[in-house]
Amino acid sequence: MSKEIERKYLIKEMPNLKNIKPIRYERYYINDNIDNQIRAQKQADKFILETKTKINDIEYKKEKQEITEQEFLKLIKDCKKVIIRDSYLINEKPNITIKVYHGIYKGLIRAEIEFDNEYEYSNFKIPEWFGKDITNIELGMDARLIKLDRGDFLEILRKEENMEEKIYINSTDNIKLCALMSNVSVDKVVLLCHGIRGDKYERGSFTTLAKEIMKQGYSTVRIDFRGHGESSGIDYEMTISKEIEDVESVIEFLKSKGYKEIIVLGASFGASIVSLVDYSKFVEVKALILWYGALDNYDVLRTDNFLSERNKQIALKEGFYKSYNKAGKLFRFGIPLFEEINIYKPKDKIKTINLPKLFVHGLADETVSYKVSLEVHNKCSNSKLELIENGSHTFDSDNKALKNAVDKTVEFIKEILQ
């Protein structure tokens, strides 16, 4: 018999679990009494019968005994639900573990601390990477968690944590790239890259998409390129080569966090940027998604609202050319960008990338014709194309079109990351 004091927390920033071998638990509840629990669990190759009796809000009395596999199977034969989770040991004194849930409760990742005594508990300093204390709610109590279906679980999870945290990632030249990142999965993530003059919200489309990706149990990170949104850097110093550098810096950051499977999504100008990255350096990247991509070797940018020869002359005279996005926000195009659009050829480069690719484009796109994606798709191997009825540029003018684009995108992500 043992007595334990425990606390459970959501996680603000995931520690690197790359070199920690997890232990898989399968837990079944034999009774329906939260204060006096009887549960059978498979722990790696061991089978255990355990009772857990509540003493107060932080203290429990536990009794464990090892049982045979046959005894285990007999006990769980009438159990309809199971808790499946991997446990990563982070620290031994006090015992700190990270629990990563699978199955119905995929998306829940929590830190657990077990203290030997009240003195240890009272003097413990909570690490900065810990989030909200969830000890006494459903997310912190498996006996209550198992009563929830998938929908109720996700509703509580979204309520208890803002699934995305604002972080800053250093580029190779020390630009601070602002990002919204979720830690729904420890090893699978989708990186979202916005268009020129935009930001990590992509007029709300990325917000909607990120939520749906997280529902499937995958992490997301959506960035502001340098000179955009909340990232540092000056807008008129932004270039194609520097944005490629930004994407590579974020991929390196995700690798350092232990992510082994990464999908990269680019929208509009961002689609051209992700098409120009050298993925031979990143075996972790498993696929590309191109939303209404400006993949015509920048022909669309050579209009009077963007990077025309006339506007280049204004930039040469004044140091930059002023342009305004749909929301009326000023963006200044610098001279180096005018020069680089004649050097980089995303339409040609993407044909050489062997990764699976999904093109998603609106038939009503007023900025970049869907014919651009159609043409590039037809010249690519390992490629799928989804044309969205009534879909405008950024998919923000028709809710049905946005839902269709998001659904097709999430379906592809599930195929790749399953």
Side-chain angles (χ1 to χ4, degrees):
M1 182 191 302
S2 66
K3 192 163 76 169
E4 68 174 24
I5 300 174
E6 60 181 9
R7 303 302 291 177
K8 298 168 186 178
Y9 297 84
L10 293 175
I11 294 172
K12 284 196 296 186
E13 183 178 349
M14 179 68 73
N16 189 350
L17 305 179
K18 195 172 184 179
N19 297 316
I20 304 174
K21 187 176 180 180
I23 298 174
R24 172 62 60 96
Y25 286 76
E26 293 179 22
R27 175 174 287 171
Y28 300 82
Y29 282 83
I30 310 304
N31 70 344
D32 196 28
N33 190 327
I34 291 173
D35 292 336
N36 293 283
Q37 302 167 23
I38 303 173
R39 57 203 193 190
Q41 65 184 25
K42 181 181 178 184
Q43 180 179 329
D45 58 353
K46 294 181 179 179
F47 301 92
I48 296 168
L49 178 63
E50 181 179 72
T51 60
K52 183 176 180 179
T53 304
K54 183 176 181 179
I55 298 172
N56 54 48
D57 283 344
I58 61 169
E59 270 188 294
Y60 286 85
K61 181 176 70 175
K62 268 188 184 180
E63 292 186 24
K64 293 183 181 182
Q65 68 177 87
E66 197 165 334
I67 58 177
T68 66
E69 183 176 5
Q70 290 72 26
E71 290 172 322
F72 173 78
L73 293 173
K74 186 176 180 181
L75 282 168
I76 70 168
K77 67 181 178 62
D78 294 324
C79 297
K80 293 183 171 58
K81 281 186 175 180
V82 58
I83 298 280
I84 303 174
R85 64 188 196 181
D86 290 331
S87 180
Y88 296 79
L89 180 62
I90 304 298
N91 191 71
E92 291 187 350
K93 274 293 191 176
N95 183 280
I96 300 177
T97 55
I98 288 178
K99 302 295 197 280
V100 179
Y101 284 71
H102 302 280
I104 296 175
Y105 309 109
K106 184 176 181 180
L108 175 59
I109 303 175
R110 74 187 188 205
E112 298 188 5
I113 318 175
E114 293 182 5
F115 302 98
D116 290 336
N117 52 62
E118 290 191 26
Y119 177 82
E120 195 177 70
Y121 165 69
S122 301
N123 289 277
F124 179 71
K125 185 177 179 182
I126 297 172
E128 290 185 1
W129 54 274
F130 277 29
K132 185 175 181 178
D133 187 331
I134 55 168
T135 304
N136 295 313
I137 66 170
E138 289 92 338
L139 301 181
M141 302 175 69
D142 286 354
R144 292 174 63 183
L145 181 67
I146 204 166
K147 297 176 183 292
L148 304 176
D149 62 23
R150 178 74 178 166
D152 291 338
F153 158 69
L154 286 172
E155 186 177 343
I156 292 171
L157 186 61
R158 284 196 295 271
K159 179 182 175 183
E160 293 298 333
E161 65 171 7
N162 180 355
M163 279 187 160
E164 294 176 297
E165 179 192 6
K166 186 183 292 184
I167 62 170
Y168 288 87
I169 302 166
N170 286 329
S171 69
T172 51
D173 55 348
N174 292 319
I175 294 292
K176 292 193 177 300
L177 303 172
C178 184
L180 290 176
M181 184 170 183
S182 67
N183 290 312
V184 175
S185 168
V186 296
D187 58 0
K188 298 178 181 182
V189 63
V190 182
L191 165 59
L192 309 180
C193 305
H194 64 78
I196 200 165
R197 306 184 305 177
D199 57 27
K200 55 188 170 291
Y201 303 102
E202 191 66 9
R203 293 187 60 80
S205 296
F206 275 8
T207 304
T208 301
L209 176 60
K211 286 179 180 177
E212 293 305 312
I213 294 171
M214 288 185 281
K215 281 182 184 179
Q216 302 305 318
Y218 307 123
S219 294
T220 59
V221 57
R222 41 192 174 121
I223 64 168
D224 286 331
F225 280 114
R226 65 182 63 218
H228 292 76
E230 298 177 82
S231 290
S232 65
I234 300 170
D235 50 5
Y236 57 80
E237 291 181 353
M238 160 263 171
T239 61
I240 295 168
S241 56
K242 290 297 183 184
E243 287 206 348
I244 294 170
E245 221 174 285
D246 291 346
V247 174
E248 293 183 343
S249 296
V250 177
I251 294 173
E252 289 289 358
F253 168 79
L254 294 173
K255 285 172 57 180
S256 75
K257 292 294 182 182
Y259 286 99
K260 298 179 179 66
E261 296 182 58
I262 302 169
I263 291 178
V264 181
L265 182 151
S268 193
F269 187 83
S272 76
I273 297 301
V274 304
S275 301
L276 292 165
V277 172
D278 179 7
Y279 293 105
S280 66
K281 300 185 291 186
F282 304 111
V283 297
E284 295 81 5
V285 175
K286 304 303 180 184
L288 301 182
I289 301 173
L290 301 310
W291 268 23
Y292 42 85
L295 301 170
D296 54 358
N297 291 345
Y298 300 117
D299 287 345
V300 74
L301 288 179
R302 294 181 175 89
T303 65
D304 276 350
N305 191 39
F306 289 101
L307 302 174
S308 66
E309 186 59 34
R310 182 182 71 85
N311 295 343
K312 181 179 178 181
Q313 295 306 313
I314 295 173
L316 287 167
K317 181 179 178 181
E318 300 183 5
F320 47 77
Y321 170 72
K322 294 180 180 180
S323 178
Y324 295 86
N325 65 14
K326 281 184 178 180
K329 187 175 180 180
L330 171 66
F331 190 90
R332 299 168 297 179
F333 294 114
I335 296 164
L337 183 58
F338 282 93
E339 301 293 343
E340 282 197 347
I341 63 164
N342 298 313
I343 299 171
Y344 287 95
K345 308 292 181 186
K347 180 166 68 174
D348 302 329
K349 177 68 167 63
I350 195 169
K351 290 185 292 185
T352 69
I353 299 173
N354 293 322
L355 294 169
K357 293 171 283 291
L358 172 67
F359 296 85
V360 185
H361 213 127
L363 290 169
D365 193 324
E366 71 287 3
T367 304
V368 180
S369 171
Y370 73 90
K371 294 178 182 178
V372 172
S373 288
L374 178 61
E375 178 192 352
V376 179
H377 157 70
N378 286 334
K379 293 179 179 178
C380 285
S381 61
N382 206 357
S383 173
K384 296 175 78 170
L385 171 68
E386 297 289 352
L387 297 177
I388 307 301
E389 193 75 33
N390 297 321
S392 62
H393 204 67
T394 71
F395 298 131
D396 65 329
S397 61
D398 186 290
N399 288 336
K400 187 176 178 181
L402 175 59
K403 183 180 184 305
N404 193 8
V406 168
D407 288 348
K408 297 296 184 184
T409 302
V410 170
E411 185 181 312
F412 178 78
I413 291 169
K414 288 167 65 178
E415 288 175 9
I416 299 298
L417 298 182
Q418 60 183 352

